[in-house]
Amino acid sequence: EKARREAEAKAKKEAEEAARRAAEEAARLAAEEAARKAAEEEAARIAAEEQARREAEEAAAAEQARLEAEVLARAQVDVPKVLRRLIRETGPIPLSQYMGESNARYYASRDPLGEQGDFITAPEITQVFGELIGVWLADLWSKMTKRKYIHYVELGPGRGTLAKDALGAAAKQGLKPQIHFVETSATLRKLQREAFPDCIHHHDISTLPDDAPLLIVANEFFDALPVQHLIRSTDGWYGRMVGLEGDDFTFVTGKERLDHLVPPSWVTASQGTLIETSPAAVALMAEIARRLKEQGGAALIIDYGHEELRSGSTLQALKSHQKVDVFAHPGDADLTAHVDFELLQHVAQQHGADVMGLQYQGEWLIQMGIDTRMEMLIRRAPYQRDKFERQRNRLVKDSEMGRLFKVLGLCGRRWPFGAGFD
């Protein structure tokens, strides 16, 4: 009996041990199978992500190539011929369409900057202009706990001169953002890539990233956006159109009432009053403000224009640094108009951005320390004193760019106000 019980106990123990080993083996095999499946799923996921990334890059490259091909094709367009045919077939066109078509070809076909171009902007006058903007950006960034990931966005960066000076100064303070340029000119894109090989180009701000705050700079960008002229008649407001008189372009009055585009304070203006407005500028400012509200960041809008809406036309054409008739060289002259800063501020606030303020360019640069910086340059190269003083005066003096040009500062909610808007 004793031997039987011992045998049963032994058999039971061996059976339990065998069951335990079997369970462990089954668990091991199951774990291995689960791990294998997980590894296969992870590999499949990585492969799918890589495939999606490659497809996205290929699609982006294809879209980029398509857009650049469009830009190059636009550069070959005979604008006067196209507009004359359009007017003859469909009747007078809005001034904004004439200006938009002309500037699209103009900017797509050339480098308009410098002595050999049609105009010179502030960054081309002196490096100090861009450096002070870089200092402004870095100071604002440092107040926001020095976020590691942030985007620098410049609208119409030209040759990249402002970006080079601004980002060089900002880098000394530790600010090294991802660089984005909104540019449609193939010629200027090439120059920008040479200066910033890692920059990302965009045809408009709709493709800017939305994963981090934006530091936006727009120097002499808004003035080239198409404007619309509104004229007060006996029974309301009508748009100014572009028609033909023989083969010559000429202004004509449209037949459609546009009272809804007129600010309330101007509705009852006297007959013959003309005002300018820019739907394109309104749309762009609304998108900038929306992004600042949702992503955070700040924007500097620097341009020539009015503190408040005035009557009269400011539309002008520049060719070889001279003013020419706006109808003389469509597509081969730079068409610009004064920026309505009152409207831009109103639109920015409507769409959720905070307005830091609006300053005269001269006053803003003085507050940012242009005189101190110029004095440093003079000490290093006293034989160039006259040149440095001319550069400073051109940017700051009321009779030059100092008062006509304005600086508008914007930021997202809970972002601090930048320097220079005291």
Side-chain angles (χ1 to χ4, degrees), residues 155-222:
L155 311 184
R159 297 170 177 168
T161 304
L162 188 154
K164 182 179 68 174
D165 297 334
L167 293 174
K172 294 177 182 178
Q173 310 299 321
L175 172 57
K176 297 178 181 180
Q178 172 66 60
I179 301 169
H180 300 264
F181 291 146
V182 176
E183 180 62 70
T184 58
S185 168
T187 302
L188 293 177
R189 280 191 175 203
K190 182 179 179 182
L191 295 175
Q192 293 156 15
R193 285 197 192 98
E194 290 172 359
F196 298 94
D198 296 329
C199 72
I200 299 173
H201 277 114
H202 306 264
H203 276 73
D204 55 57
I205 68 171
S206 65
T207 56
L208 291 175
D210 57 6
D211 57 350
L214 305 175
L215 298 175
I216 301 172
V217 177
N219 180 61
E220 292 199 48
F221 184 82
F222 276 80

Coordinates of all heavy atoms in Angstrom, one line a residue, residues 155-222:
L155 N 7.9 86.1 -46.5 CA 7.1 86.3 -47.7 C 7.9 87.2 -48.7 O 8.2 88.3 -48.4 CB 5.8 86.9 -47.4 CG 5.0 86.3 -46.2 CD1 3.6 87.0 -46.1 CD2 4.8 84.8 -46.4
G156 N 8.1 86.6 -49.9 CA 8.8 87.4 -50.9 C 10.2 87.8 -50.5 O 10.6 88.9 -50.3
P157 N 11.1 86.8 -50.2 CA 12.4 87.0 -49.7 C 13.5 87.6 -50.6 O 14.6 87.7 -50.2 CB 12.9 85.6 -49.1 CG 12.1 84.7 -50.0 CD 10.8 85.3 -50.3
G158 N 13.1 87.8 -51.9 CA 14.1 88.4 -52.8 C 15.3 87.5 -53.0 O 15.2 86.3 -53.3
R159 N 16.4 88.0 -52.8 CA 17.7 87.3 -53.0 C 18.1 86.5 -51.7 O 19.1 85.9 -51.6 CB 18.8 88.2 -53.4 CG 18.6 88.9 -54.7 CD 19.7 89.9 -54.9 NE 19.6 90.6 -56.2 CZ 20.2 91.7 -56.6 NH1 21.0 92.3 -55.7 NH2 20.1 92.2 -57.8
G160 N 17.3 86.7 -50.7 CA 17.6 86.1 -49.4 C 18.5 87.0 -48.5 O 19.0 86.5 -47.5
T161 N 18.6 88.2 -48.9 CA 19.5 89.2 -48.2 C 19.0 89.4 -46.8 O 19.8 89.3 -45.8 CB 19.6 90.5 -48.9 OG1 20.0 90.2 -50.3 CG2 20.6 91.4 -48.3
L162 N 17.7 89.7 -46.6 CA 17.2 90.0 -45.3 C 17.3 88.7 -44.4 O 17.7 88.8 -43.3 CB 15.7 90.4 -45.4 CG 15.1 90.9 -44.1 CD1 13.9 91.9 -44.5 CD2 14.5 89.8 -43.3
A163 N 16.9 87.6 -45.0 CA 17.0 86.3 -44.2 C 18.4 86.1 -43.8 O 18.7 85.6 -42.6 CB 16.5 85.2 -45.1
K164 N 19.4 86.3 -44.6 CA 20.8 86.0 -44.3 C 21.2 86.9 -43.1 O 21.8 86.4 -42.1 CB 21.7 86.3 -45.5 CG 23.2 86.0 -45.2 CD 24.0 86.3 -46.4 CE 24.0 87.8 -46.8 NZ 25.0 88.1 -47.9
D165 N 20.9 88.2 -43.2 CA 21.3 89.1 -42.1 C 20.5 88.8 -40.8 O 21.1 88.8 -39.7 CB 21.0 90.6 -42.5 CG 21.9 91.0 -43.7 OD1 23.0 90.4 -43.9 OD2 21.5 91.8 -44.5
A166 N 19.2 88.6 -41.0 CA 18.3 88.4 -39.8 C 18.7 87.1 -39.1 O 18.8 87.1 -37.8 CB 16.9 88.4 -40.2
L167 N 18.8 86.0 -39.8 CA 19.0 84.7 -39.2 C 20.5 84.6 -38.7 O 20.7 83.9 -37.7 CB 18.8 83.6 -40.2 CG 17.3 83.5 -40.6 CD1 17.1 82.4 -41.7 CD2 16.4 83.1 -39.4
G168 N 21.4 85.4 -39.3 CA 22.7 85.4 -38.8 C 22.8 86.0 -37.4 O 23.4 85.5 -36.5
A169 N 22.1 87.2 -37.3 CA 22.0 87.8 -36.0 C 21.2 87.0 -35.0 O 21.6 86.9 -33.8 CB 21.3 89.2 -36.1
A170 N 20.2 86.3 -35.4 CA 19.4 85.5 -34.5 C 20.2 84.3 -34.0 O 20.0 83.9 -32.9 CB 18.1 85.1 -35.2
A171 N 21.0 83.7 -34.9 CA 21.7 82.5 -34.5 C 22.7 82.8 -33.4 O 23.0 81.9 -32.6 CB 22.5 82.0 -35.7
K172 N 23.2 84.1 -33.3 CA 24.1 84.4 -32.2 C 23.4 84.4 -30.9 O 24.1 84.3 -29.8 CB 24.7 85.8 -32.5 CG 25.6 85.9 -33.7 CD 26.1 87.3 -34.0 CE 26.9 87.4 -35.2 NZ 27.4 88.8 -35.5
Q173 N 22.1 84.5 -30.9 CA 21.3 84.4 -29.7 C 20.7 82.9 -29.5 O 19.9 82.7 -28.6 CB 20.1 85.4 -29.7 CG 20.5 86.8 -30.1 CD 21.5 87.4 -29.1 OE1 21.4 87.2 -27.9 NE2 22.5 88.1 -29.6
G174 N 21.1 82.0 -30.4 CA 20.7 80.6 -30.2 C 19.5 80.2 -31.0 O 19.1 79.1 -31.0
L175 N 18.9 81.2 -31.8 CA 17.7 80.9 -32.5 C 18.1 80.4 -33.9 O 18.7 81.1 -34.7 CB 16.8 82.2 -32.7 CG 15.6 82.1 -33.6 CD1 14.7 81.0 -33.2 CD2 14.9 83.4 -33.7
K176 N 17.8 79.1 -34.2 CA 18.1 78.5 -35.5 C 16.9 77.8 -36.0 O 16.8 76.5 -35.9 CB 19.3 77.6 -35.3 CG 20.6 78.3 -34.9 CD 21.7 77.3 -34.7 CE 23.0 78.0 -34.3 NZ 24.1 77.1 -34.1
P177 N 15.9 78.5 -36.6 CA 14.6 77.9 -37.0 C 14.7 77.1 -38.3 O 15.7 77.3 -39.1 CB 13.7 79.1 -37.1 CG 14.6 80.2 -37.5 CD 16.0 79.9 -36.8
Q178 N 13.7 76.3 -38.6 CA 13.5 75.8 -39.9 C 13.1 77.0 -40.8 O 12.3 77.8 -40.5 CB 12.4 74.7 -39.9 CG 12.0 74.2 -41.3 CD 13.2 73.5 -42.0 OE1 13.6 72.5 -41.5 NE2 13.6 74.0 -43.2
I179 N 13.7 77.0 -42.0 CA 13.5 78.2 -42.9 C 12.5 77.9 -44.0 O 12.7 76.9 -44.8 CB 14.8 78.6 -43.5 CG1 15.8 79.0 -42.4 CG2 14.6 79.8 -44.5 CD1 17.2 79.2 -42.9
H180 N 11.5 78.7 -44.2 CA 10.5 78.6 -45.2 C 10.4 79.9 -46.0 O 10.3 81.0 -45.4 CB 9.1 78.3 -44.6 CG 9.1 77.0 -43.8 ND1 8.7 75.8 -44.4 CD2 9.4 76.7 -42.5 CE1 8.7 74.9 -43.4 NE2 9.2 75.4 -42.3
F181 N 10.4 79.8 -47.3 CA 10.3 81.0 -48.2 C 9.0 80.8 -49.0 O 8.8 79.8 -49.7 CB 11.5 81.1 -49.1 CG 12.8 81.5 -48.4 CD1 14.0 81.0 -48.8 CD2 12.8 82.3 -47.3 CE1 15.2 81.3 -48.2 CE2 14.0 82.7 -46.6 CZ 15.2 82.2 -47.1
V182 N 8.2 81.9 -49.0 CA 7.0 81.9 -49.9 C 7.5 82.8 -51.1 O 7.7 84.0 -51.1 CB 5.8 82.6 -49.2 CG1 4.7 82.7 -50.2 CG2 5.4 81.7 -48.0
E183 N 7.7 82.1 -52.2 CA 8.3 82.7 -53.4 C 7.8 82.0 -54.7 O 7.7 80.8 -54.8 CB 9.9 82.5 -53.4 CG 10.6 83.1 -54.5 CD 10.4 84.6 -54.6 OE1 10.9 85.4 -53.7 OE2 9.7 85.1 -55.5
T184 N 7.5 82.8 -55.7 CA 7.0 82.3 -57.0 C 8.0 82.5 -58.1 O 7.8 81.9 -59.2 CB 5.6 83.0 -57.4 OG1 5.9 84.4 -57.5 CG2 4.6 82.7 -56.3
S185 N 9.0 83.2 -57.9 CA 10.0 83.5 -59.0 C 11.0 82.4 -59.0 O 11.7 82.1 -58.0 CB 10.7 84.8 -58.8 OG 11.8 84.9 -59.6
A186 N 11.1 81.7 -60.2 CA 12.1 80.6 -60.4 C 13.5 81.2 -60.2 O 14.4 80.6 -59.7 CB 11.9 79.9 -61.7
T187 N 13.7 82.4 -60.8 CA 15.0 83.0 -60.7 C 15.4 83.3 -59.3 O 16.6 83.0 -58.9 CB 15.0 84.4 -61.5 OG1 14.6 84.1 -62.8 CG2 16.4 85.0 -61.4
L188 N 14.5 83.8 -58.5 CA 14.9 84.1 -57.1 C 14.9 82.9 -56.2 O 15.7 82.8 -55.3 CB 13.8 85.1 -56.5 CG 13.9 86.5 -57.1 CD1 12.7 87.4 -56.6 CD2 15.2 87.2 -56.9
R189 N 14.1 81.9 -56.5 CA 14.2 80.6 -55.8 C 15.6 80.0 -55.9 O 16.2 79.5 -55.0 CB 13.2 79.6 -56.3 CG 11.8 79.8 -55.8 CD 10.9 78.7 -56.1 NE 9.6 78.8 -55.5 CZ 8.8 77.8 -55.3 NH1 9.1 76.6 -55.6 NH2 7.6 78.0 -54.7
K190 N 16.2 80.1 -57.1 CA 17.5 79.6 -57.3 C 18.5 80.3 -56.4 O 19.4 79.7 -55.8 CB 17.9 79.7 -58.8 CG 19.3 79.1 -59.1 CD 19.6 79.3 -60.6 CE 21.0 78.7 -60.9 NZ 21.3 78.9 -62.3
L191 N 18.5 81.6 -56.4 CA 19.4 82.4 -55.6 C 19.2 82.1 -54.1 O 20.1 82.0 -53.3 CB 19.1 83.9 -55.8 CG 19.5 84.4 -57.2 CD1 19.1 85.9 -57.3 CD2 20.9 84.2 -57.5
Q192 N 17.9 81.9 -53.7 CA 17.6 81.6 -52.3 C 18.2 80.2 -51.9 O 18.7 80.0 -50.8 CB 16.1 81.6 -52.0 CG 15.5 83.1 -52.2 CD 14.1 83.1 -52.5 OE1 13.4 82.1 -52.4 NE2 13.6 84.2 -53.0
R193 N 18.1 79.2 -52.8 CA 18.6 77.9 -52.5 C 20.1 77.9 -52.3 O 20.7 77.1 -51.6 CB 18.2 76.9 -53.6 CG 16.7 76.5 -53.5 CD 16.5 75.2 -54.3 NE 15.1 75.0 -54.5 CZ 14.4 75.3 -55.6 NH1 15.0 75.9 -56.6 NH2 13.1 75.0 -55.7
E194 N 20.7 78.8 -53.1 CA 22.2 78.9 -53.0 C 22.6 79.4 -51.7 O 23.6 79.0 -51.1 CB 22.7 79.8 -54.1 CG 22.6 79.2 -55.5 CD 23.0 80.2 -56.6 OE1 23.3 81.3 -56.3 OE2 23.0 79.8 -57.8
A195 N 21.8 80.4 -51.1 CA 22.1 80.9 -49.8 C 21.6 80.0 -48.7 O 22.3 80.0 -47.6 CB 21.4 82.3 -49.7
F196 N 20.5 79.3 -48.9 CA 19.9 78.5 -47.8 C 19.6 77.1 -48.5 O 18.4 76.9 -48.8 CB 18.7 79.1 -47.2 CG 19.0 80.4 -46.5 CD1 18.8 81.6 -47.2 CD2 19.4 80.5 -45.2 CE1 19.1 82.8 -46.6 CE2 19.7 81.7 -44.6 CZ 19.5 82.9 -45.3
P197 N 20.5 76.2 -48.6 CA 20.3 74.9 -49.2 C 19.2 74.1 -48.6 O 18.5 73.3 -49.3 CB 21.6 74.2 -49.1 CG 22.6 75.2 -49.0 CD 21.9 76.3 -48.2
D198 N 18.9 74.3 -47.3 CA 17.9 73.5 -46.6 C 16.5 74.2 -46.5 O 15.6 73.7 -45.8 CB 18.4 73.2 -45.2 CG 19.6 72.3 -45.1 OD1 19.7 71.5 -46.1 OD2 20.4 72.4 -44.2
C199 N 16.4 75.3 -47.2 CA 15.1 76.1 -47.1 C 14.0 75.3 -47.8 O 14.3 74.5 -48.7 CB 15.3 77.5 -47.7 SG 15.4 77.5 -49.5
I200 N 12.8 75.5 -47.4 CA 11.6 74.9 -48.0 C 10.8 76.0 -48.7 O 10.5 77.0 -48.1 CB 10.8 74.2 -46.9 CG1 11.6 73.1 -46.3 CG2 9.5 73.6 -47.6 CD1 10.9 72.5 -45.1
H201 N 10.5 75.8 -50.0 CA 9.8 76.8 -50.7 C 8.3 76.5 -50.8 O 7.9 75.3 -50.8 CB 10.3 76.9 -52.2 CG 11.6 77.7 -52.3 ND1 12.8 77.2 -52.6 CD2 11.7 79.1 -52.1 CE1 13.7 78.2 -52.7 NE2 13.1 79.3 -52.4
H202 N 7.5 77.6 -50.8 CA 6.1 77.5 -50.9 C 5.6 78.5 -51.9 O 6.2 79.6 -52.0 CB 5.4 77.8 -49.6 CG 5.9 76.9 -48.5 ND1 5.3 75.8 -48.0 CD2 7.0 77.0 -47.7 CE1 6.0 75.2 -47.1 NE2 7.0 76.0 -46.8
H203 N 4.5 78.2 -52.6 CA 4.0 79.2 -53.6 C 3.0 80.1 -52.8 O 2.7 81.2 -53.3 CB 3.2 78.5 -54.7 CG 4.2 78.1 -55.8 ND1 5.1 77.0 -55.7 CD2 4.4 78.6 -57.1 CE1 5.8 77.0 -56.8 NE2 5.4 77.9 -57.7
D204 N 2.4 79.7 -51.7 CA 1.6 80.5 -50.9 C 1.7 80.0 -49.5 O 2.3 78.9 -49.2 CB 0.2 80.6 -51.4 CG -0.5 79.3 -51.6 OD1 -0.5 78.5 -50.6 OD2 -0.9 78.9 -52.7
I205 N 1.0 80.6 -48.5 CA 1.2 80.2 -47.1 C 0.3 79.0 -46.8 O 0.4 78.5 -45.6 CB 0.9 81.4 -46.2 CG1 -0.5 81.8 -46.2 CG2 1.8 82.6 -46.5 CD1 -0.9 82.8 -45.1
S206 N -0.6 78.6 -47.7 CA -1.5 77.5 -47.4 C -0.7 76.2 -47.1 O -1.2 75.3 -46.4 CB -2.5 77.2 -48.5 OG -1.8 76.8 -49.7
T207 N 0.5 76.0 -47.6 CA 1.3 74.8 -47.4 C 2.3 74.9 -46.3 O 3.1 74.0 -46.1 CB 2.0 74.4 -48.7 OG1 2.9 75.5 -49.2 CG2 1.0 74.1 -49.8
L208 N 2.3 76.0 -45.5 CA 3.2 76.1 -44.4 C 2.9 75.0 -43.4 O 1.7 74.7 -43.2 CB 3.1 77.5 -43.8 CG 3.7 78.7 -44.6 CD1 3.4 80.0 -43.9 CD2 5.2 78.5 -44.9
P209 N 3.9 74.5 -42.6 CA 3.6 73.5 -41.6 C 2.7 74.1 -40.5 O 2.7 75.3 -40.2 CB 5.0 73.2 -41.1 CG 5.8 74.3 -41.4 CD 5.3 74.9 -42.7
D210 N 2.0 73.2 -39.8 CA 1.1 73.7 -38.7 C 1.5 73.0 -37.4 O 0.7 72.9 -36.5 CB -0.3 73.3 -39.0 CG -0.6 71.9 -39.3 OD1 0.4 71.0 -39.2 OD2 -1.7 71.5 -39.7
D211 N 2.8 72.5 -37.3 CA 3.2 71.8 -36.1 C 4.0 72.6 -35.1 O 4.5 72.0 -34.1 CB 4.0 70.5 -36.6 CG 5.3 70.9 -37.4 OD1 5.4 72.1 -37.8 OD2 6.1 70.1 -37.6
A212 N 4.2 73.9 -35.4 CA 5.0 74.7 -34.5 C 4.7 76.1 -34.7 O 4.1 76.5 -35.7 CB 6.5 74.4 -34.7
P213 N 5.1 77.0 -33.8 CA 4.9 78.5 -34.0 C 5.6 79.0 -35.2 O 6.6 78.4 -35.7 CB 5.5 79.1 -32.7 CG 5.4 78.0 -31.7 CD 5.7 76.7 -32.5
L214 N 5.1 80.1 -35.7 CA 5.7 80.7 -36.9 C 6.3 82.1 -36.6 O 5.6 82.9 -35.9 CB 4.6 80.9 -38.0 CG 3.9 79.6 -38.4 CD1 2.8 80.0 -39.4 CD2 4.8 78.6 -39.0
L215 N 7.4 82.4 -37.1 CA 8.0 83.8 -37.0 C 8.0 84.3 -38.5 O 8.8 83.9 -39.3 CB 9.4 83.8 -36.5 CG 9.5 83.2 -35.0 CD1 11.0 83.2 -34.6 CD2 8.8 84.1 -34.1
I216 N 7.0 85.2 -38.8 CA 6.8 85.6 -40.2 C 7.3 87.0 -40.4 O 7.1 87.9 -39.6 CB 5.3 85.6 -40.4 CG1 4.7 84.2 -40.2 CG2 5.0 86.1 -41.9 CD1 3.2 84.1 -40.3
V217 N 8.0 87.2 -41.5 CA 8.5 88.5 -41.9 C 8.1 88.7 -43.3 O 8.2 87.9 -44.2 CB 10.1 88.5 -41.9 CG1 10.6 89.9 -42.4 CG2 10.6 88.3 -40.4
A218 N 7.5 89.9 -43.6 CA 7.0 90.3 -44.9 C 7.5 91.7 -45.2 O 6.9 92.7 -44.7 CB 5.5 90.2 -45.0
N219 N 8.6 91.9 -45.9 CA 9.1 93.2 -46.2 C 8.8 93.6 -47.6 O 9.2 92.9 -48.6 CB 10.6 93.3 -46.0 CG 11.2 94.6 -46.3 OD1 10.8 95.6 -45.6 ND2 12.1 94.7 -47.2
E220 N 8.0 94.6 -47.8 CA 7.6 95.0 -49.2 C 7.0 93.9 -50.0 O 7.4 93.6 -51.1 CB 8.8 95.7 -49.9 CG 9.2 97.0 -49.3 CD 10.0 97.8 -50.3 OE1 9.6 98.0 -51.4 OE2 11.1 98.3 -49.8
F221 N 6.0 93.2 -49.4 CA 5.3 92.1 -50.0 C 3.8 92.5 -50.3 O 3.3 92.3 -51.4 CB 5.3 90.9 -49.1 CG 4.7 89.7 -49.7 CD1 5.4 88.9 -50.6 CD2 3.4 89.3 -49.4 CE1 4.8 87.8 -51.2 CE2 2.8 88.2 -50.0 CZ 3.5 87.4 -50.9
F222 N 3.2 93.1 -49.3 CA 1.8 93.5 -49.4 C 1.5 94.5 -50.5 O 0.5 94.6 -51.1 CB 1.2 93.9 -48.1 CG 0.8 92.8 -47.2 CD1 1.7 92.1 -46.4 CD2 -0.6 92.4 -47.1 CE1 1.3 91.1 -45.6 CE2 -0.9 91.4 -46.2 CZ 0.0 90.7 -45.5

